[in-house]
Amino acid sequence: MSVDEPLEYLFSYGTLQHPDVQLDTFGRLVESEDDALPGYTVDYAEIEDTRVVDLSGLSVHPIVRETGNPLDKVVGKALVVTEDELDASDEYEVALYRRIAVVLASGRSAWVYVAA
């Protein structure tokens, strides 16, 4: 990663925090900071993509849904990634997820995968 490459925040509340998943998806372990996503709650989804299940070791993954209630929040990490790494994470996530822009509890703008 070059120093002048623009960086993005990707909020992870699940498997993208796992070292094995990061190494496979991004080719490196990424920097991250604790953060939270207000107005959302965690649900769970059955994953049928065997590559994702094999990599994460889990057939059920967390998935967030917007509640609109500011008292709800999902705790996770803001991963520091490049635009190319965002593309790689799009390939990792299955069709049950879509990536949207949000503002985290810290005030950071970030991307997050929510229920499609």
Side-chain angles (χ1 to χ4, degrees), residues 47-84:
I47 305 299
E48 296 178 2
D49 183 321
T50 54
R51 185 186 70 80
V52 172
V53 171
D54 289 347
L55 182 58
S56 69
L58 301 167
S59 62
V60 176
H61 287 202
I63 191 167
V64 297
R65 299 180 193 286
E66 186 171 16
T67 64
N69 182 342
L71 298 178
D72 289 332
K73 74 175 179 182
V74 175
V75 175
K77 296 207 177 273
L79 308 180
V80 182
V81 297
T82 65
E83 289 184 27
D84 285 347

Side-chain angles (χ1 to χ4, degrees), residues 13 40 43 63-66 95-98 100 113-116:
Y13 50 87
Y40 285 77
D43 200 351
I63 191 167
V64 297
R65 299 180 193 286
E66 186 171 16
L96 297 172
Y97 297 85
R98 65 187 171 93
I100 64 166
Y113 291 97
V114 299

Side-chain angles (χ1 to χ4, degrees), residues 2-18:
S2 69
V3 177
D4 58 354
E5 196 166 354
L7 298 176
E8 302 270 354
Y9 286 106
L10 174 61
F11 182 73
S12 173
Y13 50 87
T15 60
L16 282 172
Q17 294 178 45
H18 297 190

